[in-house]
Amino acid sequence: MVTFEQFKQLDLRIARIVSCEDHPNADKLYILTVETGTERRKIVAGMRQYYSKDELPGKQIVIVSNLAPATIRGARSEGMLLAAKDDKRLALLVPEKEVSVGSPVS
Amino acid sequence: MVTFEQFKQLDLRIARIVSCEDHPNADKLYILTVETGTERRKIVAGMRQYYSKDELPGKQIVIVSNLAPATIRGARSEGMLLAAKDDKRLALLVPEKEVSVGSPVS
């Protein structure tokens, strides 16, 4: 069990995917550029089996915006995006209606 | 900043809204019944200004499934759902494609 205070430590926000490129060193990973409302960031995401590069730009997604940066196979990732996964599919989490980029999630 | 370990303490999962009723003591709140894949739960959500009761049943949503239960205006809430909010709209977070109910989010 977690408390509401623990949940509130996470800064979940709506971002928009600007562009997408293959990770040069990992064939399941993309390096996404996302707009957070205040800046652009690079996020490494394991989505290459599930989404084509062309269908990602423009989509609103959900990011953990205050996650400590990590280096994943040599590429820096500044946050992570949220997706649901079952045994067949991976689905990005999206807002059901478009909202302003940078909107908080709670 | 939060660590990935802190993020992983949250159990975020896909659930489906089964039914929706007005909270008897709070005019901005609904009491939703959601299917989590293993059980049904009641979740209190402040969505009445943004969604009609009729449009909610059937939707896949995202819940924090291991949040400590709370009593909100006299109604027990077993978890919370995630939504994005800007100054005009509130939008449920949904998986972009349907996935199995109970699928983990990461």
Side-chain angles (χ1 to χ4, degrees), chain A residues 11-66:
Chain A
D11 189 11
L12 302 176
R13 290 193 179 266
I14 301 300
R16 191 186 301 277
I17 299 174
V18 176
S19 62
C20 176
E21 55 188 310
D22 292 335
H23 189 303
N25 307 322
D27 62 8
K28 293 182 178 170
L29 302 180
Y30 283 136
I31 301 176
L32 304 174
T33 301
V34 307
E35 172 64 48
T36 68
T38 54
E39 61 186 337
R40 288 190 172 190
R41 294 194 194 182
K42 302 282 189 188
I43 290 182
V44 175
M47 298 169 59
R48 218 149 131 184
Q49 298 160 278
Y50 303 101
Y51 283 90
S52 75
K53 237 182 308 192
D54 294 344
E55 66 187 309
L56 291 170
K59 285 191 194 294
Q60 289 199 335
I61 58 169
V62 183
I63 64 166
V64 186
S65 76
N66 66 336

Side-chain angles (χ1 to χ4, degrees), chain B residues 52-64:
Chain B
S52 75
K53 236 180 312 189
D54 294 344
E55 66 187 308
L56 290 170
K59 286 192 195 295
Q60 288 199 334
I61 57 169
V62 183
I63 64 166
V64 185

